[in-house]
Amino acid sequence: QVQVAESGGGLVQAGGSLRLSCVVSGRIFGSYAMAWFRQAPGKEREFVATINWYGDRTLYADSVKGRFTISRDNAGNTAPLEMNGLKLEDTAVYYCAATKAGLNIATLASGYEYWGQGTQVTVSS
């Protein structure tokens, strides 16, 4: 069984920064890609960023490009999301996801088999 766990959410003022952590544990073998999605109240879950197993391919949603950075540490099975220049519209529950298709970078939620429970990020004015 594979577990995905996020942490690091909280309340931050607009323009501030926050670092989300994601840890993958359990029986996941081989390479896997990881991603972050988010879901704001009343909206569908949307893609934020993804990174492949080797960490040499990343992809970002246009809305966060230049402000958010995804990285990974395969030794520690982590994929943090560094968020800078936060805006009110970044308020959402942020989910970390993983897929065994490690070389791919997918932007659809259906491309990921394993999900965390989410962590709330609230940006205030």
PDB file of all heavy atoms in Angstrom, residues 20-51:
ATOM      1  N   LEU A  20       5.199  23.776   0.923  1.00  0.00           N
ATOM      2  CA  LEU A  20       4.442  22.556   1.184  1.00  0.00           C
ATOM      3  C   LEU A  20       5.363  21.348   1.029  1.00  0.00           C
ATOM      4  O   LEU A  20       6.213  21.320   0.141  1.00  0.00           O
ATOM      5  CB  LEU A  20       3.277  22.428   0.216  1.00  0.00           C
ATOM      6  CG  LEU A  20       2.276  23.582   0.188  1.00  0.00           C
ATOM      7  CD1 LEU A  20       1.143  23.260  -0.783  1.00  0.00           C
ATOM      8  CD2 LEU A  20       1.738  23.890   1.563  1.00  0.00           C
ATOM      9  N   SER A  21       5.141  20.371   1.887  1.00  0.00           N
ATOM     10  CA  SER A  21       5.922  19.138   1.823  1.00  0.00           C
ATOM     11  C   SER A  21       5.021  17.978   1.438  1.00  0.00           C
ATOM     12  O   SER A  21       3.840  17.959   1.760  1.00  0.00           O
ATOM     13  CB  SER A  21       6.571  18.851   3.181  1.00  0.00           C
ATOM     14  OG  SER A  21       7.492  19.859   3.524  1.00  0.00           O
ATOM     15  N   CYS A  22       5.630  17.022   0.751  1.00  0.00           N
ATOM     16  CA  CYS A  22       4.903  15.809   0.369  1.00  0.00           C
ATOM     17  C   CYS A  22       5.840  14.623   0.536  1.00  0.00           C
ATOM     18  O   CYS A  22       6.960  14.631   0.023  1.00  0.00           O
ATOM     19  CB  CYS A  22       4.427  15.896  -1.077  1.00  0.00           C
ATOM     20  SG  CYS A  22       3.658  14.380  -1.680  1.00  0.00           S
ATOM     21  N   VAL A  23       5.361  13.627   1.234  1.00  0.00           N
ATOM     22  CA  VAL A  23       6.157  12.415   1.454  1.00  0.00           C
ATOM     23  C   VAL A  23       5.388  11.211   0.938  1.00  0.00           C
ATOM     24  O   VAL A  23       4.205  11.047   1.245  1.00  0.00           O
ATOM     25  CB  VAL A  23       6.472  12.216   2.950  1.00  0.00           C
ATOM     26  CG1 VAL A  23       7.271  10.938   3.147  1.00  0.00           C
ATOM     27  CG2 VAL A  23       7.232  13.405   3.485  1.00  0.00           C
ATOM     28  N   VAL A  24       6.060  10.385   0.166  1.00  0.00           N
ATOM     29  CA  VAL A  24       5.484   9.138  -0.335  1.00  0.00           C
ATOM     30  C   VAL A  24       6.108   7.983   0.439  1.00  0.00           C
ATOM     31  O   VAL A  24       7.330   7.911   0.577  1.00  0.00           O
ATOM     32  CB  VAL A  24       5.738   8.963  -1.840  1.00  0.00           C
ATOM     33  CG1 VAL A  24       5.179   7.626  -2.324  1.00  0.00           C
ATOM     34  CG2 VAL A  24       5.121  10.111  -2.609  1.00  0.00           C
ATOM     35  N   SER A  25       5.280   7.082   0.918  1.00  0.00           N
ATOM     36  CA  SER A  25       5.795   5.949   1.676  1.00  0.00           C
ATOM     37  C   SER A  25       5.008   4.699   1.320  1.00  0.00           C
ATOM     38  O   SER A  25       3.965   4.768   0.673  1.00  0.00           O
ATOM     39  CB  SER A  25       5.705   6.221   3.180  1.00  0.00           C
ATOM     40  OG  SER A  25       4.365   6.428   3.559  1.00  0.00           O
ATOM     41  N   GLY A  26       5.515   3.576   1.741  1.00  0.00           N
ATOM     42  CA  GLY A  26       4.823   2.325   1.476  1.00  0.00           C
ATOM     43  C   GLY A  26       5.439   1.554   0.330  1.00  0.00           C
ATOM     44  O   GLY A  26       6.559   1.802  -0.076  1.00  0.00           O
ATOM     45  N   ARG A  27       4.660   0.647  -0.211  1.00  0.00           N
ATOM     46  CA  ARG A  27       5.169  -0.283  -1.219  1.00  0.00           C
ATOM     47  C   ARG A  27       5.047   0.297  -2.622  1.00  0.00           C
ATOM     48  O   ARG A  27       4.268  -0.179  -3.435  1.00  0.00           O
ATOM     49  CB  ARG A  27       4.433  -1.609  -1.100  1.00  0.00           C
ATOM     50  CG  ARG A  27       4.630  -2.275   0.259  1.00  0.00           C
ATOM     51  CD  ARG A  27       3.853  -3.561   0.351  1.00  0.00           C
ATOM     52  NE  ARG A  27       4.315  -4.556  -0.602  1.00  0.00           N
ATOM     53  CZ  ARG A  27       5.375  -5.328  -0.412  1.00  0.00           C
ATOM     54  NH1 ARG A  27       6.096  -5.207   0.679  1.00  0.00           N
ATOM     55  NH2 ARG A  27       5.713  -6.226  -1.321  1.00  0.00           N
ATOM     56  N   ILE A  28       5.836   1.309  -2.889  1.00  0.00           N
ATOM     57  CA  ILE A  28       5.905   1.858  -4.238  1.00  0.00           C
ATOM     58  C   ILE A  28       7.294   1.584  -4.765  1.00  0.00           C
ATOM     59  O   ILE A  28       8.284   2.041  -4.213  1.00  0.00           O
ATOM     60  CB  ILE A  28       5.551   3.367  -4.271  1.00  0.00           C
ATOM     61  CG1 ILE A  28       5.532   3.871  -5.720  1.00  0.00           C
ATOM     62  CG2 ILE A  28       6.467   4.186  -3.399  1.00  0.00           C
ATOM     63  CD1 ILE A  28       4.893   5.240  -5.874  1.00  0.00           C
ATOM     64  N   PHE A  29       7.371   0.795  -5.815  1.00  0.00           N
ATOM     65  CA  PHE A  29       8.655   0.363  -6.339  1.00  0.00           C
ATOM     66  C   PHE A  29       8.930   1.026  -7.672  1.00  0.00           C
ATOM     67  O   PHE A  29       8.038   1.371  -8.416  1.00  0.00           O
ATOM     68  CB  PHE A  29       8.674  -1.157  -6.496  1.00  0.00           C
ATOM     69  CG  PHE A  29       8.456  -1.886  -5.220  1.00  0.00           C
ATOM     70  CD1 PHE A  29       7.249  -2.505  -4.965  1.00  0.00           C
ATOM     71  CD2 PHE A  29       9.449  -1.956  -4.276  1.00  0.00           C
ATOM     72  CE1 PHE A  29       7.040  -3.187  -3.777  1.00  0.00           C
ATOM     73  CE2 PHE A  29       9.256  -2.639  -3.087  1.00  0.00           C
ATOM     74  CZ  PHE A  29       8.046  -3.244  -2.837  1.00  0.00           C
ATOM     75  N   GLY A  30      10.183   1.192  -7.957  1.00  0.00           N
ATOM     76  CA  GLY A  30      10.540   1.776  -9.231  1.00  0.00           C
ATOM     77  C   GLY A  30      10.370   3.282  -9.211  1.00  0.00           C
ATOM     78  O   GLY A  30      10.205   3.896  -8.175  1.00  0.00           O
ATOM     79  N   SER A  31      10.400   3.836 -10.407  1.00  0.00           N
ATOM     80  CA  SER A  31      10.321   5.281 -10.530  1.00  0.00           C
ATOM     81  C   SER A  31       8.872   5.747 -10.496  1.00  0.00           C
ATOM     82  O   SER A  31       7.969   5.034 -10.937  1.00  0.00           O
ATOM     83  CB  SER A  31      10.974   5.713 -11.838  1.00  0.00           C
ATOM     84  OG  SER A  31      10.293   5.134 -12.936  1.00  0.00           O
ATOM     85  N   TYR A  32       8.649   6.912  -9.987  1.00  0.00           N
ATOM     86  CA  TYR A  32       7.304   7.487  -9.980  1.00  0.00           C
ATOM     87  C   TYR A  32       7.402   9.004 -10.118  1.00  0.00           C
ATOM     88  O   TYR A  32       8.317   9.624  -9.596  1.00  0.00           O
ATOM     89  CB  TYR A  32       6.531   7.109  -8.717  1.00  0.00           C
ATOM     90  CG  TYR A  32       7.223   7.443  -7.420  1.00  0.00           C
ATOM     91  CD1 TYR A  32       6.973   8.638  -6.770  1.00  0.00           C
ATOM     92  CD2 TYR A  32       8.120   6.554  -6.843  1.00  0.00           C
ATOM     93  CE1 TYR A  32       7.613   8.951  -5.585  1.00  0.00           C
ATOM     94  CE2 TYR A  32       8.772   6.857  -5.662  1.00  0.00           C
ATOM     95  CZ  TYR A  32       8.505   8.051  -5.033  1.00  0.00           C
ATOM     96  OH  TYR A  32       9.148   8.359  -3.860  1.00  0.00           O
ATOM     97  N   ALA A  33       6.461   9.558 -10.819  1.00  0.00           N
ATOM     98  CA  ALA A  33       6.358  11.003 -10.966  1.00  0.00           C
ATOM     99  C   ALA A  33       5.440  11.546  -9.876  1.00  0.00           C
ATOM    100  O   ALA A  33       4.602  10.818  -9.341  1.00  0.00           O
ATOM    101  CB  ALA A  33       5.815  11.366 -12.340  1.00  0.00           C
ATOM    102  N   MET A  34       5.605  12.816  -9.573  1.00  0.00           N
ATOM    103  CA  MET A  34       4.791  13.426  -8.530  1.00  0.00           C
ATOM    104  C   MET A  34       4.243  14.756  -9.012  1.00  0.00           C
ATOM    105  O   MET A  34       4.801  15.367  -9.930  1.00  0.00           O
ATOM    106  CB  MET A  34       5.623  13.600  -7.261  1.00  0.00           C
ATOM    107  CG  MET A  34       6.118  12.284  -6.699  1.00  0.00           C
ATOM    108  SD  MET A  34       7.049  12.446  -5.183  1.00  0.00           S
ATOM    109  CE  MET A  34       5.731  12.841  -4.037  1.00  0.00           C
ATOM    110  N   ALA A  35       3.168  15.170  -8.385  1.00  0.00           N
ATOM    111  CA  ALA A  35       2.523  16.399  -8.815  1.00  0.00           C
ATOM    112  C   ALA A  35       1.770  17.035  -7.661  1.00  0.00           C
ATOM    113  O   ALA A  35       1.511  16.397  -6.641  1.00  0.00           O
ATOM    114  CB  ALA A  35       1.555  16.118  -9.957  1.00  0.00           C
ATOM    115  N   TRP A  36       1.422  18.301  -7.873  1.00  0.00           N
ATOM    116  CA  TRP A  36       0.556  19.022  -6.950  1.00  0.00           C
ATOM    117  C   TRP A  36      -0.663  19.505  -7.727  1.00  0.00           C
ATOM    118  O   TRP A  36      -0.545  20.012  -8.853  1.00  0.00           O
ATOM    119  CB  TRP A  36       1.290  20.222  -6.347  1.00  0.00           C
ATOM    120  CG  TRP A  36       2.297  19.845  -5.313  1.00  0.00           C
ATOM    121  CD1 TRP A  36       3.633  19.581  -5.506  1.00  0.00           C
ATOM    122  CD2 TRP A  36       2.070  19.689  -3.916  1.00  0.00           C
ATOM    123  NE1 TRP A  36       4.239  19.278  -4.317  1.00  0.00           N
ATOM    124  CE2 TRP A  36       3.294  19.331  -3.311  1.00  0.00           C
ATOM    125  CE3 TRP A  36       0.942  19.817  -3.099  1.00  0.00           C
ATOM    126  CZ2 TRP A  36       3.419  19.102  -1.944  1.00  0.00           C
ATOM    127  CZ3 TRP A  36       1.073  19.594  -1.746  1.00  0.00           C
ATOM    128  CH2 TRP A  36       2.303  19.238  -1.175  1.00  0.00           C
ATOM    129  N   PHE A  37      -1.799  19.347  -7.091  1.00  0.00           N
ATOM    130  CA  PHE A  37      -3.061  19.873  -7.586  1.00  0.00           C
ATOM    131  C   PHE A  37      -3.666  20.720  -6.479  1.00  0.00           C
ATOM    132  O   PHE A  37      -3.228  20.662  -5.331  1.00  0.00           O
ATOM    133  CB  PHE A  37      -4.025  18.727  -7.946  1.00  0.00           C
ATOM    134  CG  PHE A  37      -3.640  17.972  -9.183  1.00  0.00           C
ATOM    135  CD1 PHE A  37      -2.604  17.042  -9.161  1.00  0.00           C
ATOM    136  CD2 PHE A  37      -4.307  18.181 -10.380  1.00  0.00           C
ATOM    137  CE1 PHE A  37      -2.242  16.344 -10.302  1.00  0.00           C
ATOM    138  CE2 PHE A  37      -3.963  17.484 -11.528  1.00  0.00           C
ATOM    139  CZ  PHE A  37      -2.928  16.567 -11.479  1.00  0.00           C
ATOM    140  N   ARG A  38      -4.673  21.475  -6.825  1.00  0.00           N
ATOM    141  CA  ARG A  38      -5.365  22.266  -5.799  1.00  0.00           C
ATOM    142  C   ARG A  38      -6.844  22.365  -6.142  1.00  0.00           C
ATOM    143  O   ARG A  38      -7.240  22.236  -7.310  1.00  0.00           O
ATOM    144  CB  ARG A  38      -4.761  23.661  -5.658  1.00  0.00           C
ATOM    145  CG  ARG A  38      -4.944  24.559  -6.862  1.00  0.00           C
ATOM    146  CD  ARG A  38      -4.164  25.862  -6.667  1.00  0.00           C
ATOM    147  NE  ARG A  38      -4.355  26.783  -7.788  1.00  0.00           N
ATOM    148  CZ  ARG A  38      -3.700  27.931  -7.921  1.00  0.00           C
ATOM    149  NH1 ARG A  38      -2.803  28.308  -6.989  1.00  0.00           N
ATOM    150  NH2 ARG A  38      -3.925  28.707  -8.952  1.00  0.00           N
ATOM    151  N   GLN A  39      -7.635  22.591  -5.109  1.00  0.00           N
ATOM    152  CA  GLN A  39      -9.077  22.730  -5.299  1.00  0.00           C
ATOM    153  C   GLN A  39      -9.591  23.832  -4.393  1.00  0.00           C
ATOM    154  O   GLN A  39      -9.494  23.738  -3.165  1.00  0.00           O
ATOM    155  CB  GLN A  39      -9.803  21.418  -5.002  1.00  0.00           C
ATOM    156  CG  GLN A  39     -11.259  21.448  -5.345  1.00  0.00           C
ATOM    157  CD  GLN A  39     -11.886  20.068  -5.358  1.00  0.00           C
ATOM    158  OE1 GLN A  39     -11.318  19.105  -4.825  1.00  0.00           O
ATOM    159  NE2 GLN A  39     -13.043  19.937  -5.982  1.00  0.00           N
ATOM    160  N   ALA A  40     -10.115  24.868  -5.024  1.00  0.00           N
ATOM    161  CA  ALA A  40     -10.704  25.983  -4.291  1.00  0.00           C
ATOM    162  C   ALA A  40     -12.187  25.692  -4.068  1.00  0.00           C
ATOM    163  O   ALA A  40     -12.783  24.899  -4.808  1.00  0.00           O
ATOM    164  CB  ALA A  40     -10.524  27.269  -5.076  1.00  0.00           C
ATOM    165  N   PRO A  41     -12.808  26.324  -3.079  1.00  0.00           N
ATOM    166  CA  PRO A  41     -14.232  26.085  -2.808  1.00  0.00           C
ATOM    167  C   PRO A  41     -15.088  26.353  -4.036  1.00  0.00           C
ATOM    168  O   PRO A  41     -14.954  27.393  -4.691  1.00  0.00           O
ATOM    169  CB  PRO A  41     -14.538  27.075  -1.693  1.00  0.00           C
ATOM    170  CG  PRO A  41     -13.234  27.310  -1.015  1.00  0.00           C
ATOM    171  CD  PRO A  41     -12.203  27.238  -2.098  1.00  0.00           C
ATOM    172  N   GLY A  42     -15.936  25.392  -4.363  1.00  0.00           N
ATOM    173  CA  GLY A  42     -16.851  25.558  -5.479  1.00  0.00           C
ATOM    174  C   GLY A  42     -16.224  25.361  -6.852  1.00  0.00           C
ATOM    175  O   GLY A  42     -16.890  25.556  -7.872  1.00  0.00           O
ATOM    176  N   LYS A  43     -14.952  24.975  -6.877  1.00  0.00           N
ATOM    177  CA  LYS A  43     -14.269  24.787  -8.148  1.00  0.00           C
ATOM    178  C   LYS A  43     -13.747  23.359  -8.266  1.00  0.00           C
ATOM    179  O   LYS A  43     -13.624  22.637  -7.289  1.00  0.00           O
ATOM    180  CB  LYS A  43     -13.112  25.769  -8.292  1.00  0.00           C
ATOM    181  CG  LYS A  43     -13.539  27.227  -8.357  1.00  0.00           C
ATOM    182  CD  LYS A  43     -12.362  28.130  -8.658  1.00  0.00           C
ATOM    183  CE  LYS A  43     -12.797  29.580  -8.807  1.00  0.00           C
ATOM    184  NZ  LYS A  43     -11.652  30.467  -9.136  1.00  0.00           N
ATOM    185  N   GLU A  44     -13.431  22.986  -9.487  1.00  0.00           N
ATOM    186  CA  GLU A  44     -12.886  21.666  -9.721  1.00  0.00           C
ATOM    187  C   GLU A  44     -11.397  21.639  -9.352  1.00  0.00           C
ATOM    188  O   GLU A  44     -10.729  22.672  -9.325  1.00  0.00           O
ATOM    189  CB  GLU A  44     -13.072  21.280 -11.188  1.00  0.00           C
ATOM    190  CG  GLU A  44     -14.512  21.078 -11.597  1.00  0.00           C
ATOM    191  CD  GLU A  44     -14.641  20.518 -12.999  1.00  0.00           C
ATOM    192  OE1 GLU A  44     -13.610  20.428 -13.690  1.00  0.00           O
ATOM    193  OE2 GLU A  44     -15.761  20.169 -13.399  1.00  0.00           O
ATOM    194  N   ARG A  45     -10.910  20.431  -9.107  1.00  0.00           N
ATOM    195  CA  ARG A  45      -9.499  20.273  -8.813  1.00  0.00           C
ATOM    196  C   ARG A  45      -8.688  20.631 -10.054  1.00  0.00           C
ATOM    197  O   ARG A  45      -9.024  20.206 -11.161  1.00  0.00           O
ATOM    198  CB  ARG A  45      -9.210  18.830  -8.389  1.00  0.00           C
ATOM    199  CG  ARG A  45      -7.825  18.624  -7.816  1.00  0.00           C
ATOM    200  CD  ARG A  45      -7.698  17.249  -7.184  1.00  0.00           C
ATOM    201  NE  ARG A  45      -8.628  17.076  -6.066  1.00  0.00           N
ATOM    202  CZ  ARG A  45      -8.608  16.047  -5.234  1.00  0.00           C
ATOM    203  NH1 ARG A  45      -7.694  15.092  -5.392  1.00  0.00           N
ATOM    204  NH2 ARG A  45      -9.492  15.950  -4.267  1.00  0.00           N
ATOM    205  N   GLU A  46      -7.620  21.410  -9.860  1.00  0.00           N
ATOM    206  CA  GLU A  46      -6.830  21.836 -10.997  1.00  0.00           C
ATOM    207  C   GLU A  46      -5.354  21.527 -10.792  1.00  0.00           C
ATOM    208  O   GLU A  46      -4.851  21.488  -9.665  1.00  0.00           O
ATOM    209  CB  GLU A  46      -7.003  23.348 -11.251  1.00  0.00           C
ATOM    210  CG  GLU A  46      -6.480  24.233 -10.151  1.00  0.00           C
ATOM    211  CD  GLU A  46      -6.538  25.711 -10.521  1.00  0.00           C
ATOM    212  OE1 GLU A  46      -7.016  26.058 -11.610  1.00  0.00           O
ATOM    213  OE2 GLU A  46      -6.082  26.530  -9.696  1.00  0.00           O
ATOM    214  N   PHE A  47      -4.687  21.323 -11.898  1.00  0.00           N
ATOM    215  CA  PHE A  47      -3.267  21.022 -11.918  1.00  0.00           C
ATOM    216  C   PHE A  47      -2.459  22.245 -11.501  1.00  0.00           C
ATOM    217  O   PHE A  47      -2.772  23.373 -11.871  1.00  0.00           O
ATOM    218  CB  PHE A  47      -2.875  20.584 -13.333  1.00  0.00           C
ATOM    219  CG  PHE A  47      -1.405  20.561 -13.585  1.00  0.00           C
ATOM    220  CD1 PHE A  47      -0.610  19.539 -13.090  1.00  0.00           C
ATOM    221  CD2 PHE A  47      -0.800  21.571 -14.318  1.00  0.00           C
ATOM    222  CE1 PHE A  47       0.747  19.520 -13.317  1.00  0.00           C
ATOM    223  CE2 PHE A  47       0.558  21.568 -14.551  1.00  0.00           C
ATOM    224  CZ  PHE A  47       1.337  20.539 -14.056  1.00  0.00           C
ATOM    225  N   VAL A  48      -1.393  22.012 -10.728  1.00  0.00           N
ATOM    226  CA  VAL A  48      -0.506  23.081 -10.311  1.00  0.00           C
ATOM    227  C   VAL A  48       0.910  22.865 -10.877  1.00  0.00           C
ATOM    228  O   VAL A  48       1.451  23.728 -11.559  1.00  0.00           O
ATOM    229  CB  VAL A  48      -0.426  23.178  -8.774  1.00  0.00           C
ATOM    230  CG1 VAL A  48       0.613  24.218  -8.352  1.00  0.00           C
ATOM    231  CG2 VAL A  48      -1.788  23.518  -8.187  1.00  0.00           C
ATOM    232  N   ALA A  49       1.494  21.709 -10.584  1.00  0.00           N
ATOM    233  CA  ALA A  49       2.870  21.452 -11.019  1.00  0.00           C
ATOM    234  C   ALA A  49       3.149  19.960 -10.971  1.00  0.00           C
ATOM    235  O   ALA A  49       2.523  19.227 -10.209  1.00  0.00           O
ATOM    236  CB  ALA A  49       3.868  22.196 -10.136  1.00  0.00           C
ATOM    237  N   THR A  50       4.100  19.520 -11.797  1.00  0.00           N
ATOM    238  CA  THR A  50       4.486  18.124 -11.791  1.00  0.00           C
ATOM    239  C   THR A  50       5.973  17.993 -12.073  1.00  0.00           C
ATOM    240  O   THR A  50       6.588  18.878 -12.668  1.00  0.00           O
ATOM    241  CB  THR A  50       3.677  17.308 -12.819  1.00  0.00           C
ATOM    242  OG1 THR A  50       4.038  15.929 -12.716  1.00  0.00           O
ATOM    243  CG2 THR A  50       3.961  17.780 -14.239  1.00  0.00           C
ATOM    244  N   ILE A  51       6.548  16.871 -11.635  1.00  0.00           N
ATOM    245  CA  ILE A  51       7.972  16.615 -11.834  1.00  0.00           C
ATOM    246  C   ILE A  51       8.162  15.127 -12.066  1.00  0.00           C
ATOM    247  O   ILE A  51       7.517  14.299 -11.416  1.00  0.00           O
ATOM    248  CB  ILE A  51       8.785  17.115 -10.615  1.00  0.00           C
ATOM    249  CG1 ILE A  51      10.285  17.005 -10.864  1.00  0.00           C
ATOM    250  CG2 ILE A  51       8.389  16.384  -9.340  1.00  0.00           C
ATOM    251  CD1 ILE A  51      11.125  17.760  -9.826  1.00  0.00           C
TER     252      ILE A  51
END
